[in-house]
Amino acid sequence: MVLRKLFFVLAVLLCFSGNTFAWDVDEAFLYQVESKYMSSKWTLDLSAMGDDDGTSEKSAEFLTTDVGLSTIVEKIMTGYWLDVDIKLTVSRDDDGKQDTEKTDLRIKNFEENIAGGFDFREFADAGYKLYFSDQSPYFVFGQCLGNWYVDHKSPENEGGDSEEGLELLGGGGVGYGKIVDLGSYERVMIVQDELLKAGLIDTKFTRSTIVDLLPLFRYTMERYYMIAEVQKILVNRGLINEEGFTLNIAGDMLDAIDEAFEKRKYGLEIRAAYLQELVHRDSDRDKNGWLSAYVRYELPLGENHQFTSQCDLYQQVMTDNDDKTTQLGWLNYITSTFGAHATTELGIGLGYRKTTNTDTSEKIYGKFEYELTDVIKWVNDAEYTMYQYGAKGADDKSKYKLTSTLTYTIW
């Protein structure tokens, strides 16, 4: 019943978002040019609280800073990805009897939307792939997953523990397809359409013209400088003359570009790999082997909506344990823009984990971001998760989480 309801919610979201591209996508062309997608952030959270019950004064202060990035680079014959985040939390807690200080430092994943909540999705992830040929969608790849954690408490001689260590896996496999950045391509199409509408060009851009223009829209630069560079390329190619490119036309282009997604993805990628555990924080733990499968699908649903679906499967194959662990997560979400500054994300996730018993989870969440400036965003998250446990006598549970933060965008 719960799964049926969640799939119904997903169907409603898809219907709401529409089902057409903003432009016809030249897929064969996109797969033959360099593509670079990058998302990054830096957050800083400060909080303090206190309590005086008449007999003792209690106080606590927290500082959390978080910096991370996710990037996907695709070239004709090669590609690589990186997803890493560094999070530092420093806190002090005085309960009226003991003053305890704590430092928590983690290196983990940047993309925090997790379907099933299992460990592998919290690992920093890096990989490199090599396509069989410049026309082939098939590739081989190497991958590394890592998670580093240190936790220091004081005073250590009165119950405080210190723990630190690295979890590391490495391996490789084969795959199919690629995920490309569509945002820069869409921006070039906006320029093309505005020039056609103004009567400055008679036909659509050729592939060679698009190749020249794409790099201007992959990186952040001053808006009017970008338009000046676009004008220079089109004048040198003989497509327009400088007198015809008016400030009004440039302004219309910039307005249309501002309303488009900053970064968008398109395509399907499937990977299958063998991963070997190399290092554990606990040196007594066995180093097991896993088969992993990854499927990700990205599809723009219109000028303002993007659909993403990702499925991760991990199957323990090399272990001395009698029960081999199987972990599965499936996450689906839609990202939408409203105006030039507001972005929403709505999604559902399903989790499955089986060892001796079978546990499942369902998550529904929403996110709202508002751009206060070009680099500062106000981010609000709401999440509700339900868990069902297969162990005898274990009760099902649910939890919710609400957060609100200011985020500084580095790139």
Side-chain angles (χ1 to χ4, degrees), residues 23 187 189-200 223-224 226-227 244-260:
W23 293 276
R187 283 176 161 78
M189 294 299 99
I190 287 174
V191 172
Q192 169 192 274
D193 291 350
E194 290 294 328
L195 293 177
L196 285 170
K197 185 170 64 176
L200 292 182
R223 295 159 72 244
Y224 287 99
M226 177 183 66
I227 289 296
F245 200 88
T246 66
L247 288 177
N248 287 336
I249 294 173
D252 291 341
M253 287 183 189
L254 291 174
D255 289 341
I257 289 171
D258 285 343
E259 293 177 3

PDB file of all heavy atoms in Angstrom, residues 23 187 189-200 223-224 226-227 244-260:
ATOM      1  N   TRP A  23      13.630  22.302 -26.333  1.00  0.00           N
ATOM      2  CA  TRP A  23      14.098  22.289 -27.722  1.00  0.00           C
ATOM      3  C   TRP A  23      14.287  20.842 -28.141  1.00  0.00           C
ATOM      4  O   TRP A  23      14.460  19.954 -27.304  1.00  0.00           O
ATOM      5  CB  TRP A  23      15.434  23.037 -27.855  1.00  0.00           C
ATOM      6  CG  TRP A  23      15.308  24.500 -27.598  1.00  0.00           C
ATOM      7  CD1 TRP A  23      14.933  25.480 -28.484  1.00  0.00           C
ATOM      8  CD2 TRP A  23      15.518  25.164 -26.350  1.00  0.00           C
ATOM      9  NE1 TRP A  23      14.896  26.694 -27.867  1.00  0.00           N
ATOM     10  CE2 TRP A  23      15.256  26.543 -26.566  1.00  0.00           C
ATOM     11  CE3 TRP A  23      15.887  24.751 -25.090  1.00  0.00           C
ATOM     12  CZ2 TRP A  23      15.361  27.485 -25.563  1.00  0.00           C
ATOM     13  CZ3 TRP A  23      15.993  25.684 -24.083  1.00  0.00           C
ATOM     14  CH2 TRP A  23      15.737  27.034 -24.330  1.00  0.00           C
ATOM     15  N   ARG A 187      21.347  27.089 -23.582  1.00  0.00           N
ATOM     16  CA  ARG A 187      21.636  28.521 -23.661  1.00  0.00           C
ATOM     17  C   ARG A 187      22.011  28.939 -25.085  1.00  0.00           C
ATOM     18  O   ARG A 187      21.642  30.009 -25.545  1.00  0.00           O
ATOM     19  CB  ARG A 187      22.748  28.867 -22.677  1.00  0.00           C
ATOM     20  CG  ARG A 187      22.245  28.946 -21.241  1.00  0.00           C
ATOM     21  CD  ARG A 187      23.411  29.204 -20.295  1.00  0.00           C
ATOM     22  NE  ARG A 187      22.927  29.719 -19.027  1.00  0.00           N
ATOM     23  CZ  ARG A 187      22.382  28.980 -18.082  1.00  0.00           C
ATOM     24  NH1 ARG A 187      22.216  27.693 -18.276  1.00  0.00           N
ATOM     25  NH2 ARG A 187      21.979  29.527 -16.953  1.00  0.00           N
ATOM     26  N   MET A 189      20.875  27.469 -27.709  1.00  0.00           N
ATOM     27  CA  MET A 189      19.609  27.447 -28.434  1.00  0.00           C
ATOM     28  C   MET A 189      18.783  28.713 -28.156  1.00  0.00           C
ATOM     29  O   MET A 189      18.064  29.204 -29.031  1.00  0.00           O
ATOM     30  CB  MET A 189      18.811  26.208 -28.045  1.00  0.00           C
ATOM     31  CG  MET A 189      19.432  24.876 -28.456  1.00  0.00           C
ATOM     32  SD  MET A 189      19.625  24.693 -30.269  1.00  0.00           S
ATOM     33  CE  MET A 189      21.373  25.113 -30.447  1.00  0.00           C
ATOM     34  N   ILE A 190      18.885  29.237 -26.943  1.00  0.00           N
ATOM     35  CA  ILE A 190      18.192  30.495 -26.631  1.00  0.00           C
ATOM     36  C   ILE A 190      18.739  31.630 -27.492  1.00  0.00           C
ATOM     37  O   ILE A 190      17.978  32.421 -28.064  1.00  0.00           O
ATOM     38  CB  ILE A 190      18.348  30.837 -25.134  1.00  0.00           C
ATOM     39  CG1 ILE A 190      17.482  29.899 -24.292  1.00  0.00           C
ATOM     40  CG2 ILE A 190      17.968  32.291 -24.856  1.00  0.00           C
ATOM     41  CD1 ILE A 190      17.676  30.053 -22.799  1.00  0.00           C
ATOM     42  N   VAL A 191      20.060  31.712 -27.586  1.00  0.00           N
ATOM     43  CA  VAL A 191      20.679  32.742 -28.433  1.00  0.00           C
ATOM     44  C   VAL A 191      20.222  32.573 -29.877  1.00  0.00           C
ATOM     45  O   VAL A 191      19.857  33.552 -30.552  1.00  0.00           O
ATOM     46  CB  VAL A 191      22.221  32.659 -28.333  1.00  0.00           C
ATOM     47  CG1 VAL A 191      22.871  33.584 -29.353  1.00  0.00           C
ATOM     48  CG2 VAL A 191      22.683  33.014 -26.923  1.00  0.00           C
ATOM     49  N   GLN A 192      20.241  31.339 -30.371  1.00  0.00           N
ATOM     50  CA  GLN A 192      19.792  31.069 -31.742  1.00  0.00           C
ATOM     51  C   GLN A 192      18.351  31.531 -31.963  1.00  0.00           C
ATOM     52  O   GLN A 192      18.042  32.231 -32.941  1.00  0.00           O
ATOM     53  CB  GLN A 192      19.910  29.578 -32.021  1.00  0.00           C
ATOM     54  CG  GLN A 192      19.233  29.126 -33.300  1.00  0.00           C
ATOM     55  CD  GLN A 192      19.141  27.621 -33.381  1.00  0.00           C
ATOM     56  OE1 GLN A 192      20.070  26.965 -33.833  1.00  0.00           O
ATOM     57  NE2 GLN A 192      18.013  27.063 -32.935  1.00  0.00           N
ATOM     58  N   ASP A 193      17.447  31.168 -31.031  1.00  0.00           N
ATOM     59  CA  ASP A 193      16.032  31.496 -31.200  1.00  0.00           C
ATOM     60  C   ASP A 193      15.785  32.999 -31.134  1.00  0.00           C
ATOM     61  O   ASP A 193      14.934  33.537 -31.863  1.00  0.00           O
ATOM     62  CB  ASP A 193      15.198  30.781 -30.141  1.00  0.00           C
ATOM     63  CG  ASP A 193      15.169  29.276 -30.350  1.00  0.00           C
ATOM     64  OD1 ASP A 193      15.632  28.831 -31.423  1.00  0.00           O
ATOM     65  OD2 ASP A 193      14.706  28.555 -29.447  1.00  0.00           O
ATOM     66  N   GLU A 194      16.515  33.685 -30.249  1.00  0.00           N
ATOM     67  CA  GLU A 194      16.344  35.138 -30.157  1.00  0.00           C
ATOM     68  C   GLU A 194      16.820  35.835 -31.432  1.00  0.00           C
ATOM     69  O   GLU A 194      16.204  36.811 -31.885  1.00  0.00           O
ATOM     70  CB  GLU A 194      17.103  35.677 -28.938  1.00  0.00           C
ATOM     71  CG  GLU A 194      16.510  35.295 -27.602  1.00  0.00           C
ATOM     72  CD  GLU A 194      15.141  35.925 -27.381  1.00  0.00           C
ATOM     73  OE1 GLU A 194      14.901  37.035 -27.870  1.00  0.00           O
ATOM     74  OE2 GLU A 194      14.298  35.282 -26.707  1.00  0.00           O
ATOM     75  N   LEU A 195      17.907  35.355 -32.022  1.00  0.00           N
ATOM     76  CA  LEU A 195      18.396  35.944 -33.274  1.00  0.00           C
ATOM     77  C   LEU A 195      17.460  35.646 -34.434  1.00  0.00           C
ATOM     78  O   LEU A 195      17.260  36.501 -35.318  1.00  0.00           O
ATOM     79  CB  LEU A 195      19.802  35.420 -33.577  1.00  0.00           C
ATOM     80  CG  LEU A 195      20.901  35.857 -32.607  1.00  0.00           C
ATOM     81  CD1 LEU A 195      22.225  35.204 -32.978  1.00  0.00           C
ATOM     82  CD2 LEU A 195      21.055  37.379 -32.604  1.00  0.00           C
ATOM     83  N   LEU A 196      16.881  34.435 -34.455  1.00  0.00           N
ATOM     84  CA  LEU A 196      15.892  34.117 -35.484  1.00  0.00           C
ATOM     85  C   LEU A 196      14.664  35.002 -35.344  1.00  0.00           C
ATOM     86  O   LEU A 196      14.135  35.517 -36.349  1.00  0.00           O
ATOM     87  CB  LEU A 196      15.490  32.635 -35.374  1.00  0.00           C
ATOM     88  CG  LEU A 196      16.486  31.597 -35.889  1.00  0.00           C
ATOM     89  CD1 LEU A 196      16.051  30.193 -35.475  1.00  0.00           C
ATOM     90  CD2 LEU A 196      16.612  31.685 -37.412  1.00  0.00           C
ATOM     91  N   LYS A 197      14.216  35.207 -34.122  1.00  0.00           N
ATOM     92  CA  LYS A 197      13.029  36.029 -33.876  1.00  0.00           C
ATOM     93  C   LYS A 197      13.266  37.479 -34.270  1.00  0.00           C
ATOM     94  O   LYS A 197      12.357  38.156 -34.782  1.00  0.00           O
ATOM     95  CB  LYS A 197      12.651  35.933 -32.394  1.00  0.00           C
ATOM     96  CG  LYS A 197      11.362  36.655 -32.046  1.00  0.00           C
ATOM     97  CD  LYS A 197      10.914  36.310 -30.628  1.00  0.00           C
ATOM     98  CE  LYS A 197      11.906  36.804 -29.607  1.00  0.00           C
ATOM     99  NZ  LYS A 197      11.425  36.559 -28.209  1.00  0.00           N
ATOM    100  N   ALA A 198      14.508  37.942 -34.058  1.00  0.00           N
ATOM    101  CA  ALA A 198      14.831  39.330 -34.410  1.00  0.00           C
ATOM    102  C   ALA A 198      15.136  39.500 -35.892  1.00  0.00           C
ATOM    103  O   ALA A 198      15.313  40.633 -36.363  1.00  0.00           O
ATOM    104  CB  ALA A 198      16.022  39.813 -33.582  1.00  0.00           C
ATOM    105  N   GLY A 199      15.214  38.391 -36.638  1.00  0.00           N
ATOM    106  CA  GLY A 199      15.489  38.472 -38.070  1.00  0.00           C
ATOM    107  C   GLY A 199      16.947  38.708 -38.412  1.00  0.00           C
ATOM    108  O   GLY A 199      17.270  39.052 -39.552  1.00  0.00           O
ATOM    109  N   LEU A 200      17.860  38.494 -37.442  1.00  0.00           N
ATOM    110  CA  LEU A 200      19.289  38.723 -37.703  1.00  0.00           C
ATOM    111  C   LEU A 200      19.939  37.526 -38.389  1.00  0.00           C
ATOM    112  O   LEU A 200      20.981  37.666 -39.029  1.00  0.00           O
ATOM    113  CB  LEU A 200      20.026  39.026 -36.402  1.00  0.00           C
ATOM    114  CG  LEU A 200      19.669  40.352 -35.728  1.00  0.00           C
ATOM    115  CD1 LEU A 200      20.500  40.549 -34.482  1.00  0.00           C
ATOM    116  CD2 LEU A 200      19.888  41.509 -36.685  1.00  0.00           C
ATOM    117  N   ARG A 223      27.861  38.635 -17.384  1.00  0.00           N
ATOM    118  CA  ARG A 223      26.834  38.381 -18.384  1.00  0.00           C
ATOM    119  C   ARG A 223      27.060  39.169 -19.674  1.00  0.00           C
ATOM    120  O   ARG A 223      26.943  38.632 -20.779  1.00  0.00           O
ATOM    121  CB  ARG A 223      25.458  38.709 -17.794  1.00  0.00           C
ATOM    122  CG  ARG A 223      25.089  37.790 -16.643  1.00  0.00           C
ATOM    123  CD  ARG A 223      24.032  38.372 -15.740  1.00  0.00           C
ATOM    124  NE  ARG A 223      22.718  38.407 -16.356  1.00  0.00           N
ATOM    125  CZ  ARG A 223      22.052  39.517 -16.633  1.00  0.00           C
ATOM    126  NH1 ARG A 223      22.588  40.691 -16.370  1.00  0.00           N
ATOM    127  NH2 ARG A 223      20.850  39.459 -17.169  1.00  0.00           N
ATOM    128  N   TYR A 224      27.387  40.441 -19.554  1.00  0.00           N
ATOM    129  CA  TYR A 224      27.550  41.249 -20.758  1.00  0.00           C
ATOM    130  C   TYR A 224      28.849  40.912 -21.487  1.00  0.00           C
ATOM    131  O   TYR A 224      28.939  41.034 -22.708  1.00  0.00           O
ATOM    132  CB  TYR A 224      27.479  42.730 -20.405  1.00  0.00           C
ATOM    133  CG  TYR A 224      26.065  43.159 -20.066  1.00  0.00           C
ATOM    134  CD1 TYR A 224      25.646  43.270 -18.748  1.00  0.00           C
ATOM    135  CD2 TYR A 224      25.145  43.398 -21.081  1.00  0.00           C
ATOM    136  CE1 TYR A 224      24.339  43.634 -18.444  1.00  0.00           C
ATOM    137  CE2 TYR A 224      23.838  43.760 -20.793  1.00  0.00           C
ATOM    138  CZ  TYR A 224      23.440  43.871 -19.466  1.00  0.00           C
ATOM    139  OH  TYR A 224      22.137  44.214 -19.163  1.00  0.00           O
ATOM    140  N   MET A 226      29.917  37.862 -21.668  1.00  0.00           N
ATOM    141  CA  MET A 226      29.540  36.658 -22.387  1.00  0.00           C
ATOM    142  C   MET A 226      28.836  37.010 -23.701  1.00  0.00           C
ATOM    143  O   MET A 226      29.145  36.444 -24.758  1.00  0.00           O
ATOM    144  CB  MET A 226      28.623  35.802 -21.517  1.00  0.00           C
ATOM    145  CG  MET A 226      28.100  34.546 -22.192  1.00  0.00           C
ATOM    146  SD  MET A 226      26.960  33.634 -21.131  1.00  0.00           S
ATOM    147  CE  MET A 226      25.594  34.797 -21.041  1.00  0.00           C
ATOM    148  N   ILE A 227      27.898  37.948 -23.658  1.00  0.00           N
ATOM    149  CA  ILE A 227      27.191  38.348 -24.877  1.00  0.00           C
ATOM    150  C   ILE A 227      28.149  38.980 -25.880  1.00  0.00           C
ATOM    151  O   ILE A 227      28.042  38.772 -27.108  1.00  0.00           O
ATOM    152  CB  ILE A 227      26.047  39.315 -24.524  1.00  0.00           C
ATOM    153  CG1 ILE A 227      24.931  38.557 -23.805  1.00  0.00           C
ATOM    154  CG2 ILE A 227      25.496  39.987 -25.775  1.00  0.00           C
ATOM    155  CD1 ILE A 227      24.270  37.493 -24.651  1.00  0.00           C
ATOM    156  N   GLY A 244      23.695  45.322 -36.343  1.00  0.00           N
ATOM    157  CA  GLY A 244      22.384  44.723 -36.140  1.00  0.00           C
ATOM    158  C   GLY A 244      22.178  44.141 -34.752  1.00  0.00           C
ATOM    159  O   GLY A 244      21.046  43.893 -34.338  1.00  0.00           O
ATOM    160  N   PHE A 245      23.265  43.935 -34.023  1.00  0.00           N
ATOM    161  CA  PHE A 245      23.196  43.327 -32.698  1.00  0.00           C
ATOM    162  C   PHE A 245      22.981  44.429 -31.666  1.00  0.00           C
ATOM    163  O   PHE A 245      23.919  44.978 -31.099  1.00  0.00           O
ATOM    164  CB  PHE A 245      24.495  42.564 -32.429  1.00  0.00           C
ATOM    165  CG  PHE A 245      24.382  41.536 -31.340  1.00  0.00           C
ATOM    166  CD1 PHE A 245      23.971  40.252 -31.636  1.00  0.00           C
ATOM    167  CD2 PHE A 245      24.685  41.856 -30.032  1.00  0.00           C
ATOM    168  CE1 PHE A 245      23.871  39.296 -30.645  1.00  0.00           C
ATOM    169  CE2 PHE A 245      24.589  40.913 -29.035  1.00  0.00           C
ATOM    170  CZ  PHE A 245      24.180  39.628 -29.336  1.00  0.00           C
ATOM    171  N   THR A 246      21.728  44.790 -31.418  1.00  0.00           N
ATOM    172  CA  THR A 246      21.423  45.934 -30.557  1.00  0.00           C
ATOM    173  C   THR A 246      21.417  45.539 -29.083  1.00  0.00           C
ATOM    174  O   THR A 246      21.376  44.371 -28.714  1.00  0.00           O
ATOM    175  CB  THR A 246      20.042  46.511 -30.918  1.00  0.00           C
ATOM    176  OG1 THR A 246      19.042  45.535 -30.597  1.00  0.00           O
ATOM    177  CG2 THR A 246      19.965  46.853 -32.396  1.00  0.00           C
ATOM    178  N   LEU A 247      21.421  46.567 -28.218  1.00  0.00           N
ATOM    179  CA  LEU A 247      21.353  46.334 -26.779  1.00  0.00           C
ATOM    180  C   LEU A 247      20.032  45.691 -26.375  1.00  0.00           C
ATOM    181  O   LEU A 247      19.966  44.886 -25.443  1.00  0.00           O
ATOM    182  CB  LEU A 247      21.549  47.654 -26.020  1.00  0.00           C
ATOM    183  CG  LEU A 247      22.977  48.229 -26.038  1.00  0.00           C
ATOM    184  CD1 LEU A 247      23.002  49.570 -25.315  1.00  0.00           C
ATOM    185  CD2 LEU A 247      23.953  47.255 -25.376  1.00  0.00           C
ATOM    186  N   ASN A 248      18.947  46.041 -27.072  1.00  0.00           N
ATOM    187  CA  ASN A 248      17.652  45.441 -26.758  1.00  0.00           C
ATOM    188  C   ASN A 248      17.660  43.937 -27.014  1.00  0.00           C
ATOM    189  O   ASN A 248      17.121  43.153 -26.219  1.00  0.00           O
ATOM    190  CB  ASN A 248      16.551  46.097 -27.583  1.00  0.00           C
ATOM    191  CG  ASN A 248      16.243  47.498 -27.105  1.00  0.00           C
ATOM    192  OD1 ASN A 248      16.490  47.834 -25.941  1.00  0.00           O
ATOM    193  ND2 ASN A 248      15.718  48.326 -27.999  1.00  0.00           N
ATOM    194  N   ILE A 249      18.266  43.532 -28.137  1.00  0.00           N
ATOM    195  CA  ILE A 249      18.350  42.108 -28.456  1.00  0.00           C
ATOM    196  C   ILE A 249      19.221  41.391 -27.425  1.00  0.00           C
ATOM    197  O   ILE A 249      18.877  40.302 -26.935  1.00  0.00           O
ATOM    198  CB  ILE A 249      18.897  41.904 -29.874  1.00  0.00           C
ATOM    199  CG1 ILE A 249      17.897  42.442 -30.906  1.00  0.00           C
ATOM    200  CG2 ILE A 249      19.193  40.423 -30.141  1.00  0.00           C
ATOM    201  CD1 ILE A 249      18.414  42.432 -32.318  1.00  0.00           C
ATOM    202  N   ALA A 250      20.356  42.009 -27.070  1.00  0.00           N
ATOM    203  CA  ALA A 250      21.223  41.417 -26.056  1.00  0.00           C
ATOM    204  C   ALA A 250      20.496  41.285 -24.729  1.00  0.00           C
ATOM    205  O   ALA A 250      20.629  40.274 -24.028  1.00  0.00           O
ATOM    206  CB  ALA A 250      22.488  42.264 -25.884  1.00  0.00           C
ATOM    207  N   GLY A 251      19.704  42.302 -24.374  1.00  0.00           N
ATOM    208  CA  GLY A 251      18.942  42.236 -23.127  1.00  0.00           C
ATOM    209  C   GLY A 251      17.910  41.129 -23.137  1.00  0.00           C
ATOM    210  O   GLY A 251      17.716  40.433 -22.130  1.00  0.00           O
ATOM    211  N   ASP A 252      17.231  40.936 -24.280  1.00  0.00           N
ATOM    212  CA  ASP A 252      16.255  39.847 -24.392  1.00  0.00           C
ATOM    213  C   ASP A 252      16.929  38.486 -24.224  1.00  0.00           C
ATOM    214  O   ASP A 252      16.377  37.573 -23.590  1.00  0.00           O
ATOM    215  CB  ASP A 252      15.546  39.912 -25.751  1.00  0.00           C
ATOM    216  CG  ASP A 252      14.614  41.119 -25.863  1.00  0.00           C
ATOM    217  OD1 ASP A 252      14.246  41.669 -24.804  1.00  0.00           O
ATOM    218  OD2 ASP A 252      14.275  41.494 -26.996  1.00  0.00           O
ATOM    219  N   MET A 253      18.124  38.343 -24.802  1.00  0.00           N
ATOM    220  CA  MET A 253      18.867  37.093 -24.661  1.00  0.00           C
ATOM    221  C   MET A 253      19.207  36.830 -23.197  1.00  0.00           C
ATOM    222  O   MET A 253      19.027  35.713 -22.684  1.00  0.00           O
ATOM    223  CB  MET A 253      20.161  37.154 -25.479  1.00  0.00           C
ATOM    224  CG  MET A 253      19.983  37.054 -26.969  1.00  0.00           C
ATOM    225  SD  MET A 253      21.610  37.046 -27.750  1.00  0.00           S
ATOM    226  CE  MET A 253      21.128  37.201 -29.460  1.00  0.00           C
ATOM    227  N   LEU A 254      19.717  37.844 -22.530  1.00  0.00           N
ATOM    228  CA  LEU A 254      20.124  37.672 -21.138  1.00  0.00           C
ATOM    229  C   LEU A 254      18.932  37.345 -20.248  1.00  0.00           C
ATOM    230  O   LEU A 254      19.038  36.516 -19.329  1.00  0.00           O
ATOM    231  CB  LEU A 254      20.828  38.932 -20.640  1.00  0.00           C
ATOM    232  CG  LEU A 254      22.198  39.213 -21.271  1.00  0.00           C
ATOM    233  CD1 LEU A 254      22.728  40.555 -20.802  1.00  0.00           C
ATOM    234  CD2 LEU A 254      23.181  38.110 -20.907  1.00  0.00           C
ATOM    235  N   ASP A 255      17.801  37.971 -20.501  1.00  0.00           N
ATOM    236  CA  ASP A 255      16.603  37.667 -19.717  1.00  0.00           C
ATOM    237  C   ASP A 255      16.187  36.206 -19.908  1.00  0.00           C
ATOM    238  O   ASP A 255      15.819  35.517 -18.943  1.00  0.00           O
ATOM    239  CB  ASP A 255      15.455  38.597 -20.121  1.00  0.00           C
ATOM    240  CG  ASP A 255      15.683  40.027 -19.661  1.00  0.00           C
ATOM    241  OD1 ASP A 255      16.503  40.221 -18.745  1.00  0.00           O
ATOM    242  OD2 ASP A 255      15.051  40.935 -20.222  1.00  0.00           O
ATOM    243  N   ALA A 256      16.224  35.735 -21.164  1.00  0.00           N
ATOM    244  CA  ALA A 256      15.843  34.355 -21.444  1.00  0.00           C
ATOM    245  C   ALA A 256      16.836  33.377 -20.831  1.00  0.00           C
ATOM    246  O   ALA A 256      16.449  32.331 -20.299  1.00  0.00           O
ATOM    247  CB  ALA A 256      15.743  34.140 -22.959  1.00  0.00           C
ATOM    248  N   ILE A 257      18.117  33.708 -20.885  1.00  0.00           N
ATOM    249  CA  ILE A 257      19.143  32.834 -20.310  1.00  0.00           C
ATOM    250  C   ILE A 257      18.991  32.759 -18.795  1.00  0.00           C
ATOM    251  O   ILE A 257      19.134  31.700 -18.191  1.00  0.00           O
ATOM    252  CB  ILE A 257      20.550  33.337 -20.706  1.00  0.00           C
ATOM    253  CG1 ILE A 257      20.804  33.078 -22.199  1.00  0.00           C
ATOM    254  CG2 ILE A 257      21.623  32.667 -19.850  1.00  0.00           C
ATOM    255  CD1 ILE A 257      22.062  33.719 -22.731  1.00  0.00           C
ATOM    256  N   ASP A 258      18.680  33.883 -18.153  1.00  0.00           N
ATOM    257  CA  ASP A 258      18.514  33.899 -16.700  1.00  0.00           C
ATOM    258  C   ASP A 258      17.364  33.002 -16.257  1.00  0.00           C
ATOM    259  O   ASP A 258      17.372  32.464 -15.144  1.00  0.00           O
ATOM    260  CB  ASP A 258      18.266  35.323 -16.202  1.00  0.00           C
ATOM    261  CG  ASP A 258      19.545  36.154 -16.217  1.00  0.00           C
ATOM    262  OD1 ASP A 258      20.624  35.539 -16.290  1.00  0.00           O
ATOM    263  OD2 ASP A 258      19.462  37.382 -16.165  1.00  0.00           O
ATOM    264  N   GLU A 259      16.356  32.847 -17.086  1.00  0.00           N
ATOM    265  CA  GLU A 259      15.204  32.036 -16.722  1.00  0.00           C
ATOM    266  C   GLU A 259      15.415  30.548 -16.988  1.00  0.00           C
ATOM    267  O   GLU A 259      14.617  29.716 -16.558  1.00  0.00           O
ATOM    268  CB  GLU A 259      13.971  32.517 -17.493  1.00  0.00           C
ATOM    269  CG  GLU A 259      13.514  33.916 -17.072  1.00  0.00           C
ATOM    270  CD  GLU A 259      12.337  34.410 -17.886  1.00  0.00           C
ATOM    271  OE1 GLU A 259      11.858  33.636 -18.736  1.00  0.00           O
ATOM    272  OE2 GLU A 259      11.902  35.549 -17.661  1.00  0.00           O
ATOM    273  N   ALA A 260      16.484  30.195 -17.702  1.00  0.00           N
ATOM    274  CA  ALA A 260      16.773  28.793 -17.984  1.00  0.00           C
ATOM    275  C   ALA A 260      17.501  28.173 -16.791  1.00  0.00           C
ATOM    276  O   ALA A 260      18.033  28.870 -15.938  1.00  0.00           O
ATOM    277  CB  ALA A 260      17.629  28.674 -19.248  1.00  0.00           C
TER     278      ALA A 260
END
